[in-house]
Structures are given as C-alpha cells and as structure tokens.
Amino acid sequence: MIPFPLLPTPIETNYRACTIPYRFPSDNLKKATPTEISWINVFANSIPSFKKRAESDTSVPDAPARAKIFEQRYAGFLEGWKKDPESNGGPPDGVILGRVREHLLRELGFRDIFKKVKDEENAKAISLFPEVVSLSDAIEDDGERLENLVRGIFAGNIFDLGSAQLAEVFSRDGISFLATSQNLVPRPWVIDDLNKFQAKWVKKPWKTAVIFVDNSGADIILGILPFARELLRRGIQVVLAANELPAINDVTYTELTDIVSQLKDGNGQLIGVDTSKLLIANSGNDLAVIDLSRVSHELAYLSSDADLVILEGMGRGIETNLYAQFKCDSLKIGMVKHVEVAQFLGGRLYDCVFKFNEVQS
C-alpha cells in the first residue's frame, strides 16, 4: 500500500483521513470527549443490525453463536473507549471504529454478512438501469442533464445499511430510487457547488476521472454508473476505484467487475456508449471509509495522471475526506445520513453535499 499520488506532499502534514475532529490537543487523553462518545454511540447503535445479518449468514457454521460473540466483543471495545480513549489503539476516530468492527467480523469467520442483500439490490438495480439512462439521455441541455445525474447519485447513495435508521427503514419498506431522486431536500444543499461544477463541465476540461465508489445496488448502478457513462460519452477516461474486501454494503472490486460485465452489450457498450476507456481498479481498501495515505499500487498507477478525483458517499466523501486537498480538481459528493454529520455541517438529515474544489493551473 502506498499514498494516493494526487495528494499533496508531504502527506504527514497535508493529509488526515478525518473530517470531524473527535478531540483537540488540549483534551484530556484519559477522558472521552463528547464528540468521541456521540460517535461511539453511532457505532453501538449499528450493532443490532450487524448481529442480525451475521446470524443469518449461512456460509458460516454456528453463525448465531459467533454473531453473539461479535456483539459482546465489539460492545466491549466501544465501552472500553468510553472509559479510556487510549485503549485498543485509540483514541478512536471513524477509521479505527470501523476497522475494529470489520476485523472482529473477519476474525469470527464472517466474510461478507451483507452479501445476500447486496445481490438482491444489484439485481433490482440492473433491471432499472436502462430506464434511468433513457430518462437522462432524453434531457437535451447539458447542464440540466448533469443536475439530473447528480440527483441520481444522491438518490442511490441512500442505500446505506451502515446507518441504523436507514437499515431499519430498508428492512421494513425498501427504498425507491425514482421516488428518492424526486424528493431530495431542495437546493441550495448544505454544501452546494453544483453551479460552479456545471460551468466547468460545459468546457469538457478533464481527461481522466477517478471515482471512489460507495454502496452496492442503486448507489453504484443507478447513481454512479449513469454519471460515469456520461463522462465516457464526453471522451473522459474513467477509473472506478472499489474496495478490495467487503465492508457493510459497499460494492467490492470483484462485484463491480461483474456488474459492469452484466450491463455491457455484445459490443462492449453501455447502452450505446463505448466502454474502452472505463477501468475498474482495486483500491486496496477494506472499510466503509477510506484513508488515502494507503491505496493499492494498481490504483496509484492508474490515477497518476488523473485531473479529476471524485469521492462519493458519506464515509469516503464526507466523514474522512471532505477537506482533503488534491493536486487536481476534486469533487466530494454524498448524502448526510447521520444526525452527528448534519449537526457538524449545520445542515439537515438527508441533506446533500456537493463540494467542488478547482485547482488553478
């Protein structure tokens, strides 16, 4: 693993994978801060839905007993951090809280507890892909079509089983992509650089875009892929960077490769658009957030001359990299699905973040 090549150097002083400061240098190292406690509680609230998924994982022998051990051990880690923030490799932040959860699951033999729901959602989204693309293609104005595609990314990004609240809604009612895209919170969003991005988009300035993708289902298939297809149509090379290992319902590199091959026709096209400039990269990541100081050599090589970096989703685009600087233009895009993030940004729950940073050449 090596640093992402488009981060400014030296990495140590220019980059940290944490948007919300959980603590400051002046805080007592032996006492959990209010922010640490509130985020520990966010992860604690997710335990019941993770345990439920783990219990029903038929690929694991004694799944219910192992799920119970996961519940007890992870809750123990979280309580430990509340009592002593420096325990268990702390003080905790979004990367550590997620890493311990994923490592515990893997240690107990759980490779991908969300596999079944991911497969179901991918199949549903694949059947809707032609309709979503044809609705987009019917919009003649470039700027309007871009806004429609961006709304699609937000609508897809709501399929996030890492949010306890959304996991509950999802298991009860399911989530409709088309209804969500029509019912997003009105603009201006909490961070809304869409007009600035549209103004540059019209000039077709980029040669290569790297997109760090997020969830399976509607997110990748109905949100990101129609947008990536539009980039391809404009002659831009697209590198889709996906996780090496499963984390929550994030799409993995192997799953994404399979999805794209299912969507392509016999001529290798995505509904009339050539995909010879579409590359799928293994990011080397195994979490629902991402620390860009450690990515795969493959991704680093494919990204070295990119002039647009896109981080999509709450974990990658908001919680760990909202303020990350790059040597090229960058876009952070995602829906706000935790109250704690909404409060930090001064926005609403289910508000949208569209942050565009332009690098002056």
Side-chain angles (χ1 to χ4, degrees), residues 42-77:
V42 166
F43 280 80
N45 291 340
S46 75
I47 292 176
S49 67
F50 275 70
K51 183 192 175 198
K52 193 174 169 187
R53 296 276 173 198
E55 283 171 340
S56 60
D57 187 341
T58 54
S59 70
V60 177
D62 307 324
R66 294 184 192 212
K68 182 76 182 161
I69 295 168
F70 160 73
E71 175 188 44
Q72 291 167 342
R73 287 183 64 191
Y74 192 49
F77 273 106

Side-chain angles (χ1 to χ4, degrees), residues 140-209:
E140 288 181 21
D141 180 80
D142 268 5
E144 279 179 38
R145 188 162 64 250
L146 171 64
E147 180 165 349
N148 177 69
L149 289 163
V150 165
R151 287 177 174 277
I153 293 173
F154 288 128
N157 194 231
I158 204 166
F159 175 51
D160 186 344
L161 302 182
S163 157
Q165 205 171 349
L166 282 173
E168 196 179 312
V169 171
F170 182 83
S171 59
R172 193 178 63 234
D173 308 321
I175 293 169
S176 160
F177 173 79
L178 292 169
T180 305
S181 61
Q182 285 156 10
N183 295 317
L184 295 176
V185 297
R187 293 184 66 193
W189 301 313
V190 64
I191 299 178
D192 193 336
D193 294 332
L194 180 56
N195 293 355
K196 186 167 87 166
F197 186 75
Q198 274 172 324
K200 188 147 188 185
W201 171 270
V202 175
K203 299 172 190 165
K204 303 185 181 177
W206 305 291
K207 291 187 179 71
T208 301

Side-chain angles (χ1 to χ4, degrees), residues 191-194 196-197 200 206 307-311 317 321-333 353-361:
I191 299 178
D192 193 336
D193 294 332
L194 180 56
K196 186 167 87 166
F197 186 75
K200 188 147 188 185
W206 305 291
D307 44 11
L308 177 63
V309 172
I310 300 172
L311 287 136
N321 290 291
L322 186 64
Y323 302 127
Q325 299 292 312
F326 296 92
K327 295 175 186 173
C328 62
D329 289 357
S330 64
L331 178 62
K332 289 71 175 265
I333 178 168
V353 166
F354 192 93
K355 183 174 172 61
F356 177 53
N357 287 97
E358 193 175 355
V359 167
Q360 303 304 324
S361 52

Side-chain angles (χ1 to χ4, degrees), residues 69-343:
I69 295 168
F70 160 73
E71 175 188 44
Q72 291 167 342
R73 287 183 64 191
Y74 192 49
F77 273 106
L78 296 178
E79 284 305 311
W81 277 315
K82 281 185 182 177
K83 293 185 184 123
D84 177 6
E86 285 197 298
S87 64
N88 308 314
D93 59 21
V95 173
I96 292 171
L97 289 164
R99 181 173 289 141
V100 169
R101 180 174 65 190
E102 296 304 329
H103 283 199
L104 276 176
L105 285 166
R106 287 177 206 135
E107 209 176 280
L108 289 162
F110 295 105
R111 289 287 167 265
D112 191 354
I113 60 173
F114 291 88
K115 180 82 176 115
K116 185 170 180 282
V117 69
K118 287 193 293 182
D119 288 347
E120 288 166 0
E121 289 306 302
N122 287 341
K124 271 189 233 171
I126 284 170
S127 70
L128 286 172
F129 183 75
E131 180 188 355
V132 169
V133 165
S134 65
L135 286 171
S136 170
D137 285 358
I139 301 169
E140 288 181 21
D141 180 80
D142 268 5
E144 279 179 38
R145 188 162 64 250
L146 171 64
E147 180 165 349
N148 177 69
L149 289 163
V150 165
R151 287 177 174 277
I153 293 173
F154 288 128
N157 194 231
I158 204 166
F159 175 51
D160 186 344
L161 302 182
S163 157
Q165 205 171 349
L166 282 173
E168 196 179 312
V169 171
F170 182 83
S171 59
R172 193 178 63 234
D173 308 321
I175 293 169
S176 160
F177 173 79
L178 292 169
T180 305
S181 61
Q182 285 156 10
N183 295 317
L184 295 176
V185 297
R187 293 184 66 193
W189 301 313
V190 64
I191 299 178
D192 193 336
D193 294 332
L194 180 56
N195 293 355
K196 186 167 87 166
F197 186 75
Q198 274 172 324
K200 188 147 188 185
W201 171 270
V202 175
K203 299 172 190 165
K204 303 185 181 177
W206 305 291
K207 291 187 179 71
T208 301
V210 178
I211 307 177
F212 288 87
V213 301
D214 192 16
N215 305 318
S216 301
D219 193 350
I220 182 67
I221 296 163
L222 305 180
I224 288 296
L225 285 176
F227 178 75
R229 176 180 172 272
E230 188 71 15
L231 290 169
L232 293 168
R233 190 152 78 164
R234 299 166 80 79
I236 298 167
Q237 176 166 289
V238 177
V239 179
L240 298 176
N243 268 18
E244 177 169 5
L245 297 178
I248 319 183
N249 59 310
D250 290 11
V251 69
T252 64
Y253 162 75
T254 48
E255 287 165 345
L256 182 52
T257 305
D258 181 52
I259 287 165
V260 170
S261 70
Q262 286 186 61
L263 290 172
K264 282 183 192 176
D265 65 18
N267 300 317
Q269 294 194 328
L270 270 183
I271 311 188
V273 173
D274 179 54
T275 57
S276 59
K277 286 189 169 183
L278 177 64
L279 304 169
I280 300 169
N282 178 344
S283 68
N285 191 41
D286 62 351
L287 300 175
V289 294
I290 194 164
D291 179 349
L292 294 174
S293 67
R294 298 179 73 252
V295 302
S296 70
H297 282 260
E298 175 196 357
L299 177 61
Y301 173 73
L302 292 174
S303 309
S304 55
D305 61 348
D307 44 11
L308 177 63
V309 172
I310 300 172
L311 287 136
E312 184 246 350
M314 187 170 68
R316 291 165 188 77
I318 303 176
E319 289 176 7
T320 46
N321 290 291
L322 186 64
Y323 302 127
Q325 299 292 312
F326 296 92
K327 295 175 186 173
C328 62
D329 289 357
S330 64
L331 178 62
K332 289 71 175 265
I333 178 168
M335 185 179 272
V336 175
K337 291 164 287 193
H338 283 148
V339 175
E340 293 74 12
V341 177
Q343 287 169 343

Side-chain angles (χ1 to χ4, degrees), residues 4-15 324-328:
F4 186 58
L6 297 171
L7 289 173
T9 50
I11 307 285
E12 299 72 29
T13 52
N14 284 298
Y15 177 75
Q325 299 292 312
F326 296 92
K327 295 175 186 173
C328 62

